Amino acid sequence: MAEPSKQEIDARAYRLWEQAGRPEGRESEFWHLAEQELRNEDKGSPTRTPDTL
């Protein structure tokens, strides 16, 4: 699988952030989580939120 693009990561991070209730000051946390999820998508990893890490 190719590396996810910045646009793909941004979109996933935004969705995760919204689902978590839009917490302020945690943007980079959601960005890294989105990047990890996209990279691991083909490995069947479960969807996680920063609150369950």
Side-chain angles (χ1 to χ4, degrees), residues 1-36:
M1 178 177 159
E3 287 292 307
S5 70
K6 183 181 181 315
Q7 275 186 309
E8 291 172 317
I9 297 169
D10 286 344
R12 173 74 62 98
Y14 185 80
R15 283 194 305 272
L16 292 170
W17 176 75
E18 280 190 319
Q19 290 171 359
R22 300 179 177 190
E24 290 188 34
R26 295 175 61 192
E27 293 83 4
S28 66
E29 188 178 347
F30 284 98
W31 199 90
H32 291 293
L33 177 62
E35 181 180 34
Q36 177 186 16

Side-chain angles (χ1 to χ4, degrees), residues 16 20 26 29-30 33 36-37 46-53:
L16 292 170
R26 295 175 61 192
E29 188 178 347
F30 284 98
L33 177 62
Q36 177 186 16
E37 283 187 3
T47 302
R48 296 165 48 191
T49 65
D51 294 327
T52 61
L53 294 176

